[in-house]
Amino acid sequence: PVAVHKLFVLGTQFADGGGDYPEAVHTALASVIDHDWREDAVKLCFLVLDAPCHTDSEVQGVSASINRSLSQAAEKGIRIIPVASSGVSESAEMLFRSYAVQTNGTYIFLTNHSGIGGDHKDPTGIRDYEIELLNDCMVRIACEYCGMYSGEKVPYTPPQSEYHQ
C-alpha cells in the first residue's frame, strides 16, 4: 500500500474580511479534531484569535462543542496554542488561556512590538514577559515541543482534570 499524506500549504491561505465579532471558535476547533493527524506526529495547533467565541445564547450548543473538542484534542495529544491579538477582551483572554492549559499547549499574545499587525492590548495579569517577533516565537515553540532545543521530544501528558477522565 502507498502512504498518502495530506499537505496543508500555509502559503496558499489568506485572510479576507474581518470585523466580525464574536468568532466561530467551535467550528475551528471541530476542524482541528477532524484533521488526519499522524499518530506519531507532534500535534500543534496555532489558533489565531482576535475576538471571543460565540456564546450559547448566540449559537445553541457552542459551549458543549468547544468542551468536546478540547477534550478530544487532549486525548489525541493535540496541543492548542492560542495566539491572542488586537483588542481581545479580558474574558476571551482567560478562555484562550484555558484552552492551552486543557491541552498542554502554550498561550501566546501579540504586543505592539510583535512585528505583526497594528495596535494590540496589553495582556491581563502578566507583568513579566519577553517580547519576541511572532514568527520567531512560533518557530521556537514548535522546536521546543519537537525537542529540537533539548535533544528529545517534549512528552505529551494528557491534562488531569475532571473534564478528561
Side-chain angles (χ1 to χ4, degrees), residues 38-158:
R38 281 194 349 255
E39 190 62 36
D40 63 340
V42 175
K43 302 167 190 80
L44 307 177
C45 171
F46 288 89
L47 185 63
V48 182
L49 307 148
D50 68 351
C53 54
H54 288 286
T55 63
D56 283 325
S57 64
E58 297 165 321
V59 178
Q60 185 176 2
V62 71
S63 294
S65 174
I66 289 172
N67 289 335
R68 185 173 44 256
S69 291
L70 291 170
S71 179
Q72 290 174 336
E75 289 170 12
K76 292 181 175 193
I78 303 167
R79 297 174 193 261
I80 305 297
I81 304 169
V83 181
S85 63
S86 303
V88 69
S89 69
E90 188 173 322
S91 61
E93 186 180 338
M94 295 305 134
L95 271 176
F96 302 157
R97 287 184 195 187
S98 77
Y99 297 175
V101 168
Q102 291 178 64
T103 62
N104 279 348
T106 302
Y107 176 74
I108 300 174
F109 55 90
L110 299 181
T111 68
N112 288 341
H113 305 91
S114 298
I116 189 165
D119 199 30
H120 302 286
K121 181 183 151 298
D122 288 334
T124 305
I126 301 175
R127 292 184 179 92
D128 187 27
Y129 57 88
E130 291 185 29
I131 294 172
E132 193 173 14
L133 295 178
L134 178 59
N135 186 56
D136 295 344
C137 179
M138 292 174 75
V139 168
R140 177 184 54 77
I141 287 172
C143 287
E144 286 173 356
Y145 282 127
C146 291
M148 294 177 68
Y149 288 132
S150 63
E152 298 178 25
K153 281 187 180 178
V154 176
Y156 183 84
T157 304

Side-chain angles (χ1 to χ4, degrees), residues 2-62:
V2 176
V4 177
H5 296 281
K6 294 180 182 178
L7 179 62
F8 179 75
V9 181
L10 189 58
T12 64
Q13 304 304 305
F14 61 92
D16 187 25
D20 56 333
Y21 200 88
E23 303 279 17
V25 176
H26 62 292
T27 304
L29 288 173
S31 175
V32 168
I33 301 306
D34 287 342
H35 280 306
D36 189 16
W37 298 92
R38 281 194 349 255
E39 190 62 36
D40 63 340
V42 175
K43 302 167 190 80
L44 307 177
C45 171
F46 288 89
L47 185 63
V48 182
L49 307 148
D50 68 351
C53 54
H54 288 286
T55 63
D56 283 325
S57 64
E58 297 165 321
V59 178
Q60 185 176 2
V62 71

